[in-house]
């Protein structure tokens, strides 16, 4: 196929392959479904479409990090269940790219005879597009689902391939009906769970106010329309919550906002119900409660069936242009980090609109990331409640393991933690599957215990135990990690834990100018480990939602785990780690260290950035004895999580006076905050008093 300009309207539509629905799902499999039979079945469909390779990306049609079970295509095909990774299947090879968080997990889950693990950002490991360029012939055809592939990525890859062979480059071939779905006979049902209104006392801002802020921001960029596809952005914007994706209170939807300055209320369209009648026939919206309908009606939001998004978008845009006769085309803003090839093509194919990608993220994402007073109050409440559950849980484990009364296993103990959470006001569910890991499993960064599996271990007084867990409450989202030892840790374990703790405290104590990017704050957490020649292969902090996704953009604290030339050549990494940190941002603080095959350490707490007052009796203000300089306010972090550090693992000789003071003050605050909430739980109170005693 000849070279083509992927930025031109309808470019992908012209390349779209015929619908593969004539292939009956599952008919390629004639016996037991195996890793080999899945690849063979996929290659049959690839051959029918003259594809040299097929790309399987992790996200769904909304670029979600965590996806519904029906969208776990990469996991189904490869066996690797981590949340991040890209699979590429050629006629004779199968490769999977993932980052350092998942190296050990991927090695355990992939069939090494069939799959090659490509360790991202490691020396000598090419990125996916570079591997294709180096290993496949020019003019190769790479199939992909245009709903799951970002337009920005597609353009970037197509450009890199055109440099190699301008006359006949490798091309991406969009195939709307996902080929993995076609070979997945028992694919889970598409979810369509009820919607719920997120009330004003928790959201802190009405839908109308949010829409007005967003529209004004978009209008200032000389754009006419905003299309929103990120699910957490839509949930925040419309003050709604759902449960279409496990652990994430979101629902499948698209939104279209008319952002032109007007004297009357501009149109707002919301497409919901992934399983609903796409034709919008009578009663299609019967699954939506009247409460939700009234809530949206108050903000003049028109509701459409989810499946009608592609067909109705063109009509909506044409209608807007009719109202604005002086313009030849509308300018439609989309978010660069979430706009798929399919969405971009639908907009340009309408013939009445031109696409405008944001430089980084949409105004909705930026507004969502800065929590208001009501949201911060809810976050504090949720963090305190969840700290009670975690403290009760750790106290119970400590007692039962010391008594040797019964065997405690990694997966089973998670049920106990859930039972403590269920007793708390406003608990909805966990914010991600709990990482409960003992001994060598604690070195697997995103380990998931499975009852009865060969990998599941019993907790022991001889091993490290790492608990990474979080909860969804109506008033907030939590994410906390503590590493403990129930016996006698080695000197090496104590030294490494203390270095991680020093990094954690260093970031918690940081004071910095407003607008400082996370890339610069990352060194606070890594420096103590670097002093001992230690590194960890993941970011130090991520954004967290307010009763939304536990991983939230646009900010990240990190970058110190990869070389600068990789960051310089990676726009997505640049956007994440260079995003300015402003007051009201809710992030995690989670340095770690992992000794592969033996043990791992991570300490994670939730923190909110706030302005350092100019004239305050707070001791921290004494850092400015002569006043601050410059025209930017300074920020510090409010510490939300109230769970003690493991005193047994702390090597006090490594700590300086400031670190000891911080830990003692923190533990004093934890004791004061939790004691009234633990009531007559003598076990938890006794454990808490011991763990918070001054160093």
């Amino acid at each position: 196929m000849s070279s083509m300009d992927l930025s031109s309207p309808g470019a992908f539509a012209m390349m779209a392959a015929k619908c593969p629905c004539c292939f009956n799902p599952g008919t390629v499999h004639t016996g037991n479904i195996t890793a080999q039979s899945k690849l063979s079945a996929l290659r049959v469909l690839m051959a029918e479409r003259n594809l040299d390779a097929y790309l399987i990306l992790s996200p769904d049609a909304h670029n979600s990090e965590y996806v519904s079970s029906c969208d776990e295509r990469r996991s189904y095909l490869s066996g690797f269940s981590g949340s991040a990774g890209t699979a590429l299947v050629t006629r004779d090879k199968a490769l999977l790219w993932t980052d350092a968080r998942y190296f050990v997990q991927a090695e355990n889950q992939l069939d090494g005879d069939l799959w090659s693990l490509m360790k991202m950002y490691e020396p000598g490991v090419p990125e996916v597009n570079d591997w294709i360029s180096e290993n496949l012939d020019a003019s190769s055809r790479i199939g992909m689902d245009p709903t799951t592939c970002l337009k920005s990525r597609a353009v970037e890859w197509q450009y890199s391939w055109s440099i190699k062979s301008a006359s006949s480059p490798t091309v991406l071939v969009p195939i709307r009906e996902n080929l993995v779905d076609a070979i997945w006979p028992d694919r889970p049902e598409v979810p369509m769970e009820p919607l719920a209104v997120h009330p004003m006392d928790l959201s802190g801002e009405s839908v109308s106010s949010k829409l007005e802020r967003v529209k004004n921001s978009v209008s200032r960029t000389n754009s006419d329309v905003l299309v929103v596809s990120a699910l957490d952005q839509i949930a925040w914007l419309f003050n709604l919550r759902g449960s279409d994706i496990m652990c994430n209170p979101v629902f499948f939807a698209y939104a279209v906002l008319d952002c032109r300055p007007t004297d009357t209320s501009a149109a707002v369209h919301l497409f919901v119900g992934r399983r609903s009648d796409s034709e919008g026939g009578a009663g299609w919206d019967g699954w939506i409660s009247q409460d939700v309908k009234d809530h949206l009606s108050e903000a003049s939001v028109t509701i459409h069936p989810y499946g009608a998004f592609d067909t109705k978008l063109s009509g909506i845009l044409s209608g807007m242009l009719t109202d604005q006769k002086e313009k030849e085309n509308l300018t439609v803003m989309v978010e660069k980090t979430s706009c798929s090839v399919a969405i971009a093509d639908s907009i340009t194919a309408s013939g009445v609109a031109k696409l405008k990608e944001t430089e980084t993220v949409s105004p909705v994402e930026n507004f969502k990331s800065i929590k208001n007073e009501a949201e911060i109050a809810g976050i504090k409440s949720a963090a305190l409640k969840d700290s009670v559950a975690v403290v009760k849980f750790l106290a119970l484990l400590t007692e039962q393991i010391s008594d040797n009364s019964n065997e405690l296993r990694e997966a089973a103990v998670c049920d106990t933690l859930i039972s403590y959470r269920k007793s708390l006001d406003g608990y909805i569910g966990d914010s991600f599957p709990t990482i409960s890991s003992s001994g060598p499993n604690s070195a697997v960064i995103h380990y998931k215990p499975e009852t009865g599996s060969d990998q599941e271990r019993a907790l022991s007084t001889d091993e490290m135990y790492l608990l990474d867990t979080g909860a969804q409450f109506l008033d907030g989202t939590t994410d906390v990690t503590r590493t403990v030892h129930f016996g006698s840790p080695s000197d090496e374990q104590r030294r490494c834990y203390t270095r991680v703790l020093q990094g954690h405290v260093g970031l918690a104590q940081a004071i910095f100018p407003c607008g400082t990017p996370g890339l610069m704050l990352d060194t606070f957490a890594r420096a103590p480990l670097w002093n001992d020649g230690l590194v960890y292969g993941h970011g130090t902090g991520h954004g967290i939602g307010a009763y939304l996704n536990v991983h939230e953009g646009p900010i990240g604290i990190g970058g110190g785990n990869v070389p600068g030339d990789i960051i310089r050549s990676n726009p997505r990494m640049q956007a994440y780690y260079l995003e300015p940190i402003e007051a009201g941002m809710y992030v995690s603080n989670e340095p770690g260290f992992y000794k592969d095959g033996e043990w791992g350490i991570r300490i994670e707490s939730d923190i909110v950035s706030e302005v350092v007052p100019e004239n305050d009796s707070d001791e921290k203000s004494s850092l400015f004895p002569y006043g601050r300089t410059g025209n930017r306010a300074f920020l510090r972090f409010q510490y939300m999580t109230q769970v003690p550090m493991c005193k047994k693992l702390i090597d006090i000789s490594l700590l300086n006076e400031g670190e000891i003071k911080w830990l003692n003050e923190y533990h004093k605050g934890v004791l004061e905050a939790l004691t009234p909430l633990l009531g007559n739980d003598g076990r938890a109170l006794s454990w808490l008093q011991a763990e918070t005693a001054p160093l």
Side-chain angles (χ1 to χ4, degrees):
M1 182 177 289
S2 63
S3 172
M4 67 185 306
D5 177 12
L6 294 189
S7 64
S8 63
F12 283 101
M14 291 189 292
M15 293 174 58
K18 292 181 179 180
C19 172
C21 292
C22 55
F23 172 76
N24 296 318
T27 56
V28 168
H29 297 298
T30 56
N32 292 333
I33 298 176
T34 65
Q36 178 64 71
S37 69
K38 293 175 187 177
L39 289 173
S40 298
L42 178 61
R43 286 173 174 138
V44 168
L45 298 186
M46 288 166 53
E48 289 177 0
R49 288 152 186 80
N50 192 27
L51 299 176
D52 299 289
Y54 188 70
L55 191 66
I56 304 96
L57 301 163
S58 295
D60 57 18
H62 304 268
N63 201 41
S64 304
E65 177 187 9
Y66 296 104
V67 299
S68 173
S69 56
C70 69
D71 293 321
E72 292 179 345
R73 301 175 176 101
R74 189 219 62 228
S75 178
Y76 171 76
L77 183 69
S78 69
F80 168 63
S81 61
S83 65
T86 298
L88 181 73
V89 177
T90 71
R91 293 173 180 177
D92 59 357
K93 291 183 176 63
L95 307 97
L96 182 124
W97 278 259
T98 192
D99 61 59
R101 294 173 298 168
Y102 297 106
F103 288 168
V104 176
Q105 179 179 343
E107 286 170 347
N108 290 336
Q109 292 182 327
L110 293 174
D111 184 331
D113 294 329
L114 301 174
W115 287 87
S116 297
L117 173 59
M118 308 297 286
K119 297 183 176 182
M120 292 172 64
Y121 313 130
E122 293 294 292
V125 178
E127 295 192 26
V128 181
N129 59 314
D130 292 328
W131 188 93
I132 291 172
S133 182
E134 294 165 6
N135 292 273
L136 298 183
D137 294 336
S139 74
S140 290
R141 290 165 49 84
I142 314 299
M144 56 85 174
D145 180 344
T147 68
T148 66
C149 182
L150 292 179
K151 176 185 181 294
S152 57
R153 173 180 289 175
V155 172
E156 175 190 335
W157 285 11
Q158 197 71 74
Y159 176 74
S160 71
W161 295 333
S162 69
I163 294 175
K164 178 183 177 182
S165 176
S167 60
S168 184
T170 292
V171 293
L172 285 170
V173 182
I175 302 174
R176 188 61 177 260
E177 290 73 20
N178 194 287
L179 297 190
V180 175
D181 291 353
I183 63 166
W184 193 350
D186 56 349
R187 182 183 175 218
E189 184 180 37
V190 171
M192 193 172 75
E193 300 299 325
L195 306 179
V197 175
H198 192 52
M200 267 287 291
D201 61 327
L202 297 177
S203 68
E205 185 178 9
S206 69
V207 177
S208 296
S209 174
K210 290 179 177 181
L211 289 171
E212 188 66 20
R213 281 205 291 152
V214 171
K215 290 177 180 181
N216 289 339
S217 179
V218 173
S219 179
R220 285 194 293 270
T221 69
N222 295 318
S223 300
D224 302 305
V225 182
L226 175 67
V227 172
V228 188
S229 59
L231 302 184
D232 61 336
Q233 293 181 23
I234 293 172
W236 175 86
L237 183 60
F238 293 98
N239 284 345
L240 293 174
R241 298 296 187 267
S243 56
D244 283 349
I245 297 178
M246 185 179 71
C247 300
N248 296 265
V250 296
F251 52 94
F252 288 108
Y254 295 99
V256 182
L257 280 62
D258 182 352
C259 301
R260 297 169 298 169
T262 177
D263 295 333
T264 59
S265 178
V268 179
H269 301 269
L270 180 63
F271 295 79
V272 294
R274 187 169 166 185
R275 258 196 352 258
S276 59
D277 176 14
S278 62
E279 299 300 320
W284 78 267
D285 58 351
W287 63 281
I288 305 174
S289 72
Q290 191 60 48
D291 183 38
V292 169
K293 291 177 182 177
D294 292 344
H295 168 75
L296 293 172
S297 177
E298 288 176 8
S300 301
V301 178
T302 302
I303 311 173
H304 306 276
Y306 177 94
F309 175 70
D310 283 340
T311 55
K312 286 203 171 187
L313 180 59
S314 179
I316 290 171
L317 295 177
S318 296
M320 291 181 187
L321 188 63
T322 301
D323 295 339
Q324 196 164 323
K325 297 179 180 179
E326 68 275 10
K327 295 190 70 171
E328 294 182 359
N329 281 290
L330 295 170
T331 300
V332 179
M333 175 185 284
V334 295
E335 184 178 55
K336 187 174 184 177
T337 56
S338 63
C339 178
S340 69
V341 168
I343 292 174
D345 192 54
S346 293
I347 293 169
T348 54
S350 70
V352 298
K354 59 182 180 180
L355 202 66
K356 181 177 182 176
E357 287 186 318
T358 60
E359 288 297 319
T360 52
V361 297
S362 96
V364 183
E365 184 78 343
N366 280 321
F367 291 148
K368 175 171 61 67
S369 70
I370 299 174
K371 309 307 187 253
N372 59 41
E373 290 183 3
E375 289 172 320
I376 293 174
I379 288 165
K380 287 180 179 178
S381 169
L384 192 59
K385 288 183 288 190
D386 203 38
S387 296
V388 169
V390 174
V391 163
K392 286 185 174 184
F393 176 71
L394 291 175
L396 176 68
L397 294 188
T398 301
E399 179 182 89
Q400 293 193 350
I401 290 176
S402 299
D403 289 349
N404 256 336
S405 53
N406 60 335
E407 185 179 69
L408 301 177
R409 300 191 67 81
E410 293 169 330
V413 297
C414 295
D415 293 335
T416 302
L417 178 57
I418 290 175
S419 71
Y420 284 134
R421 283 179 169 147
K422 283 182 176 178
S423 68
L424 300 170
D425 182 50
Y427 173 69
I428 302 298
D430 284 2
S431 57
F432 58 94
T434 291
I435 299 170
S436 170
S437 53
S438 184
N441 288 339
S442 63
V444 181
I445 298 173
H446 278 192
Y447 171 75
K448 181 181 178 182
E450 299 286 351
T451 301
S453 69
D454 293 340
Q455 288 76 35
E456 188 192 17
R457 299 177 68 85
L459 278 60
S460 165
T461 56
D462 299 324
E463 294 183 341
M464 292 278 226
Y465 177 67
L466 187 153
L467 174 74
D468 187 345
T469 186
Q472 296 284 8
F473 295 91
L474 285 173
D475 47 3
T477 303
T478 67
D479 185 3
V480 57
T481 306
R482 290 295 184 265
T483 306
V484 299
H485 200 295
F486 300 111
S488 301
S490 68
D491 289 344
E492 181 186 16
Q493 289 172 330
R494 293 177 69 242
R495 185 178 184 94
C496 291
Y497 179 91
T498 305
R499 291 308 191 200
V500 173
L501 177 60
Q502 287 175 301
H504 183 89
V505 173
L507 180 56
Q509 289 182 308
I511 293 180
F512 52 95
C514 182
T516 299
L519 181 65
M520 298 182 72
L521 295 183
D522 191 45
T523 54
F524 282 99
R526 295 185 192 270
L529 289 105
W530 286 345
N531 288 337
D532 273 13
L534 307 177
V535 298
Y536 55 94
H538 57 76
T540 297
H542 55 80
I544 306 173
Y547 182 36
L548 273 174
N549 294 355
V550 73
H551 289 173
E552 176 178 273
I555 54 170
I557 299 173
N561 59 311
V562 294
D565 58 342
I566 290 179
I567 297 176
R568 185 169 53 201
S569 63
N570 189 314
R572 288 175 289 278
M573 205 174 276
Q574 288 176 26
Y576 189 54
Y577 292 135
L578 293 180
E579 183 69 26
I581 294 180
E582 300 180 40
M585 289 184 164
Y586 180 35
V587 298
S588 67
N589 171 3
E590 51 180 309
F593 174 70
Y594 311 89
K595 191 171 184 180
D596 287 352
E598 297 191 36
W599 41 265
I601 299 162
R602 187 162 62 254
I603 302 172
E604 177 183 19
S605 297
D606 302 334
I607 53 181
V608 175
S609 54
E610 66 174 0
V611 174
V612 178
E614 290 292 325
N615 298 300
D616 188 8
S617 58
D618 190 318
E619 285 185 17
K620 292 184 179 180
S621 293
S622 66
L623 290 172
F624 310 145
Y626 304 107
R628 67 170 175 83
T629 60
N631 57 7
R632 290 191 286 168
F634 277 73
L635 303 181
R636 64 187 179 193
F637 290 116
Q638 295 183 66
Y639 204 96
M640 299 292 167
T641 306
Q642 303 294 315
V643 179
M645 309 302 173
C646 182
K647 288 181 63 179
K648 188 181 293 186
L649 282 166
I650 300 174
D651 183 346
I652 300 177
S653 69
L654 297 176
L655 301 178
N656 61 39
E657 290 184 8
E659 291 164 341
I660 292 174
K661 179 182 178 183
W662 186 93
L663 283 165
N664 283 338
E665 289 179 350
Y666 170 63
H667 282 155
K668 179 183 177 183
V670 169
L671 181 64
E672 292 174 351
L674 296 191
T675 296
L677 302 177
L678 292 173
N680 58 0
D681 189 333
R683 176 177 55 217
L685 283 168
S686 177
W687 181 88
L688 180 66
Q689 289 164 358
E691 290 299 313
T692 57
L695 295 176

